[in-house]
Amino acid sequence: MQSTPLHEKSHWVSETICIGANPLVNFFWFLEEPDYDQKKWYIISLIEDTPNVPARLKDTIKLFQFPITHNSNSRHLSQKLAKLIDFVEARMKEGYYIYLHCREGIGRSNMIAAILLARSNNWDLKTTLLSNGAERDSSLCG
């Protein structure tokens, strides 16, 4: 697992999935990531108002917006989430690094990361929650 967070409000939960707060406010931290231009990135934005990726970074960074309203309680959310999970898993199989973000990096992004970890590792709910929580406690910076 990668040990260095991409910026002060992010952390890695697997070799290819990083979660955190909105990274699009300031893209300069991406330029500091080792070999950033050698990696293919997909930023999965779970908030409503995400700025566009700057033109100079569009070759290495793609953006997919999937807004989930904070504290959302939609009965259709599970169907939407299934499509999102399928989309993210397909991008991972294509070799993309995934950056999941919501506004603060502690709610919606953690939920999606937990589902991805559970599915990719065939974990039950308890194992998934313990893994994601333990990882967050040990590597969160800032």
Side-chain angles (χ1 to χ4, degrees), residues 31-126:
L31 302 176
E32 296 171 5
E33 169 70 6
D35 302 321
Y36 88 93
D37 57 342
Q38 304 300 312
K39 297 176 181 175
K40 298 186 316 181
W41 288 92
Y42 236 105
I43 295 176
I44 309 298
S45 174
L46 304 172
I47 61 175
E48 300 81 19
D49 54 347
T50 303
N52 291 323
V53 173
R56 71 181 188 282
L57 299 176
K58 286 193 177 197
D59 288 340
T60 54
I61 301 173
K62 306 293 182 207
L63 174 64
F64 182 74
Q65 291 188 261
F66 190 91
I68 299 173
T69 306
H70 184 68
N71 292 326
S72 170
N73 191 13
S74 169
R75 58 185 135 127
H76 302 293
L77 187 58
S78 62
Q79 292 174 343
K80 291 179 182 179
L81 286 179
K83 290 179 182 179
L84 173 64
I85 297 302
D86 290 343
F87 177 85
V88 173
E89 287 177 333
R91 302 300 75 81
M92 291 168 62
K93 288 178 183 172
E94 293 171 357
Y96 282 94
Y97 286 81
I98 304 298
Y99 186 89
L100 293 165
H101 84 84
C102 52
R103 189 145 336 270
E104 297 297 325
I106 58 174
R108 293 165 276 186
S109 57
N110 269 330
M111 175 185 63
I112 302 302
I115 294 168
L116 289 165
L117 288 172
R119 282 181 50 152
S120 65
N121 294 298
N122 293 316
W123 289 343
D124 61 19
L125 180 60
K126 182 177 179 181

